[in-house]
Amino acid sequence: MVARTRFDAEPCPVARSIDAIGDWWSLLIVRDAFDGSRRFGQFRRSLGIAKNILTSRLRMLEQTGVMTTVPASDGSRYQEYVLTEKGRALFPVVVALRQWGEAHCFGPGEEHSRLLDRRNGHPLRPLEIRSSDGRSVGPDETLVEKLSNADEAG
């Protein structure tokens, strides 16, 4: 088996984020957790994933602090998987992927799901990236600044 390439020492936040999430199964597990899945069987039914792969991904999500286990809410002897604060911070990532998929991965009239505001039932506005003064910005209006240890300390 080929060893997985690690990005946990890379200076790029995107690479480190990908390293922390792992793969598509892990991000789909996070998506399902936002949608209310909490038990191993719920994740397995929703994703159609093999037990060994699901076990491995849940373990990795726990090790990276994205999920944790808690006693089952119904008082049974089972444990449930819940998103930590770090995991809940992935919500904008999941929403961005969902909105991009809605806009670019379905043909006209093709069946799909959409995310609604629980309070009023309306679809969410598309995510926008905003500058410090509130302007909407795109890739042409941004640049990447490399920081050294000295830059972050000062």
Side-chain angles (χ1 to χ4, degrees):
M1 187 160 114
V2 177
R4 179 176 172 264
T5 300
R6 304 279 317 171
F7 297 110
D8 55 347
E10 289 292 319
C12 173
V14 175
R16 285 196 185 193
S17 297
I18 290 169
D19 195 68
I21 298 304
D23 63 8
W24 65 82
W25 284 123
S26 299
L27 198 51
L28 291 172
I29 290 167
V30 169
R31 176 210 59 193
D32 280 6
F34 280 122
D35 290 347
S37 292
R38 293 174 61 98
R39 294 214 176 162
F40 187 92
Q42 290 174 315
F43 291 113
R44 187 148 184 268
R45 277 188 299 281
S46 172
L47 298 169
I49 186 174
K51 288 181 183 181
N52 63 322
I53 294 172
L54 179 57
T55 298
S56 170
R57 296 322 184 270
L58 286 168
R59 186 174 298 127
M60 188 271 306
L61 288 167
E62 284 186 277
Q63 289 170 351
T64 58
V66 172
M67 296 187 91
T68 192
T69 53
V70 297
S73 56
D74 63 4
S76 67
R77 63 179 179 87
Y78 296 103
Q79 289 189 326
E80 295 179 339
Y81 296 90
V82 296
L83 293 165
T84 62
E85 184 178 329
K86 182 177 180 179
R88 291 182 59 79
L90 286 166
F91 185 67
V93 175
V94 173
V95 171
L97 286 169
R98 173 181 288 282
Q99 289 181 345
W100 181 86
E102 289 172 357
H104 300 289
C105 296
F106 294 89
E110 190 175 355
E111 187 175 313
H112 65 281
S113 63
R114 65 181 179 170
L115 190 61
L116 304 175
D117 182 330
R118 189 180 298 270
R119 188 183 306 168
N120 61 23
H122 296 142
L124 301 182
R125 285 183 175 175
L127 290 178
E128 291 183 331
I129 307 304
R130 299 209 171 261
S131 68
S132 60
D133 65 8
R135 289 176 296 113
S136 181
V137 294
D140 295 336
E141 292 93 24
T142 63
L143 61 94
V144 174
E145 176 185 28
K146 303 289 185 186
L147 297 177
S148 69
N149 292 339
D151 292 331
E152 290 186 7

